[in-house]
Amino acid sequence: IKGIDKIYTRSMHGGVAIAQVLFDVGEDVEISKVKLQSKLSENIDLAQGNISPPVIKSIDPDDVPILTFGFTGQGMDQNHLRMRVFDIVSDLRNIEGVANIDVHGGESPALRVLLDTGAMNIRNVGFDDVIKAIESSNLRVRAGSLKNRIQERVIEVDGTIQTKQHAEAILVLPGVTLGDVAFIEDGFQEKTSFVSVDTPQEKNIPVVFLSVAKRKGKNAIDVAARVQTFLEKELQKESYQYITYDTYRNEALVAKKAINGLSMNLITSVIIVSLVLFIFLGFRSAMTVAIVIPLTLAGVFFIGYISGKTINKITLFAFILSLGLLVDSATVVVENIHRHIQAGLPKKKAIIH
């Protein structure tokens, strides 16, 4: 495929293979995904065995979280704290500029089925009967769609098991339900990870992390401010009085600090250049450069604003570099004009020369 730079592959336990495809800088992401999908489809006949269709996902810098919060709950275990955090997630998704939200820590709710082998033997129920009954009763099926000239609405039947009562009523064999041969309890999935934080005062504090990524093209500082404002108001409610949070990652502050630093460098460089020109070439030359440089940069900012472009750390750093070229050229031109005027040439001829 034209435009591919490197390909890395990795095989993992469980029959999973991951291929990472790196495209050349400047290649369009969407077009590259289409080309990759097309090439895979052309060669799908080469797949042997029970290989599922490949899933293509793009890795975008905007997918990296800009905010990470750590939630702790007084008198609350990690699993129940996770459930309360998910109550917040549903509202967070409605905030403008928010894209992906990830929650780490604690386990997801699950129904635990504890089989009673004695009851199974009495009713002549096998393990396969129970598994097939659960699988056939835990489905999500597409029932059709409603179309008009503008849109299409897909209709799905949610037949997944939601409650303990629903699970107990599953028919395993004629006249035998799952509740007759098993004990079913509301619980959580088996623990597969340990998430905690250490502080100088306490070690291994159970915590649930909430990470927020912004949408592509959105201002990280504005999105972070909206998310933090929402959390401050939300956690003031009585239902969250025993839950507190700390901010462990805030890329918006890092970006804001870097941009402010570059902006100060920009202002400082203009002042230093104007001061040097004032000392060696006089007030008029210094004022000329001091006015021309900000006007030039303001024109660049204005054109970018009306064309819908945004400023980030890279573009602002480019402005710093271009400022050096601008100052160098302006200094050379002004110094050359000043030299010709001192040599006795009229101002117009000095400017031409």
Side-chain angles (χ1 to χ4, degrees), residues 16 25 75 83 95 108 126 129 142 147 213 234 277 283 312 326:
V16 178
V25 177
M83 294 176 62
I95 297 178
S108 301
D129 297 327
R142 177 171 176 173
K147 299 181 181 179
E234 188 71 12
L277 291 177
F283 177 77
N312 54 34
L326 182 62

Side-chain angles (χ1 to χ4, degrees), residues 37-326:
Q37 179 66 61
S38 176
K39 183 61 68 174
L40 288 173
S41 299
E42 291 176 3
N43 296 276
I44 197 67
D45 58 307
L46 300 178
Q48 298 180 2
N50 189 22
I51 299 178
S52 59
V55 177
I56 300 177
K57 292 185 177 181
S58 59
I59 301 176
D60 195 285
D62 287 320
D63 294 335
V64 178
I66 61 172
L67 291 168
T68 298
F69 303 101
F71 292 84
T72 54
Q74 182 180 354
M76 188 181 300
D77 64 75
Q78 198 173 32
N79 293 332
H80 286 89
L81 178 61
R82 178 187 176 93
M83 294 176 62
R84 299 309 311 276
V85 171
F86 265 101
D87 293 338
I88 300 175
V89 168
S90 58
D91 293 324
L92 270 178
R93 296 188 188 277
N94 297 325
I95 297 178
E96 181 184 357
V98 172
N100 299 329
I101 299 178
D102 294 320
V103 177
H104 301 280
E107 307 303 326
S108 301
L111 291 174
R112 302 177 67 89
V113 180
L114 308 176
L115 297 178
D116 183 350
T117 55
M120 292 175 63
N121 291 331
I122 293 174
R123 292 171 174 82
N124 196 26
V125 175
F127 290 102
D128 291 338
D129 297 327
V130 175
I131 294 173
K132 289 179 181 179
I134 294 176
E135 290 179 345
S136 61
S137 301
N138 191 38
L139 299 174
R140 191 183 187 97
V141 182
R142 177 171 176 173
S145 61
L146 297 176
K147 299 181 181 179
N148 57 29
R149 295 180 179 179
I150 301 176
Q151 61 184 358
E152 177 183 2
R153 294 186 178 182
V154 177
I155 301 175
E156 290 186 348
V157 177
D158 187 1
T160 55
I161 302 172
Q162 300 291 337
T163 63
K164 174 182 176 181
Q165 292 73 20
H166 184 188
E168 289 176 342
I170 294 176
L171 191 65
V172 179
L173 290 177
V176 180
T177 63
L178 185 60
D180 295 330
V181 295
F183 298 101
I184 301 173
E185 60 182 22
D186 286 316
F188 298 90
Q189 295 180 358
E190 293 185 3
K191 197 167 188 64
T192 58
S193 62
F194 295 89
V195 179
S196 63
V197 295
D198 292 341
T199 65
Q201 296 78 20
E202 190 175 354
K203 302 294 183 181
N204 296 324
I205 303 175
V207 65
V208 175
F209 287 112
L210 173 67
S211 300
V212 180
K214 71 179 184 68
R215 295 185 184 276
K216 186 176 182 179
K218 295 296 182 179
N219 189 300
I221 297 175
D222 293 339
V223 174
R226 285 193 287 267
V227 171
Q228 289 177 312
T229 301
F230 168 80
L231 285 179
E232 290 174 1
K233 292 182 178 179
E234 188 71 12
L235 292 183
Q236 288 177 358
K237 296 180 179 179
E238 186 176 354
S239 57
Y240 296 108
Q241 60 180 331
Y242 298 111
I243 298 177
T244 58
Y245 76 95
D246 294 303
T247 303
Y248 289 89
R249 178 192 182 104
N250 191 343
E251 289 298 323
L253 289 180
V254 177
K256 189 174 183 179
K257 184 177 180 181
I259 290 175
N260 289 339
L262 291 175
S263 300
M264 288 303 301
N265 291 338
L266 184 64
I267 296 172
T268 304
S269 61
V270 173
I271 294 174
I272 293 175
V273 169
S274 301
L275 183 61
V276 171
L277 291 177
F278 173 74
I279 294 173
F280 292 98
L281 299 181
F283 177 77
R284 177 176 293 182
S285 300
M287 287 301 298
T288 301
V289 174
I291 293 174
V292 168
I293 292 176
L295 284 178
T296 303
L297 295 178
V300 174
F301 285 126
F302 178 74
I303 294 174
Y305 175 77
I306 61 177
S307 61
K309 304 299 181 182
T310 58
I311 300 297
N312 54 34
K313 289 186 289 185
I314 297 177
T315 54
L316 196 57
F317 186 71
F319 276 126
I320 300 295
L321 295 179
S322 62
L323 176 65
L325 299 177
L326 182 62

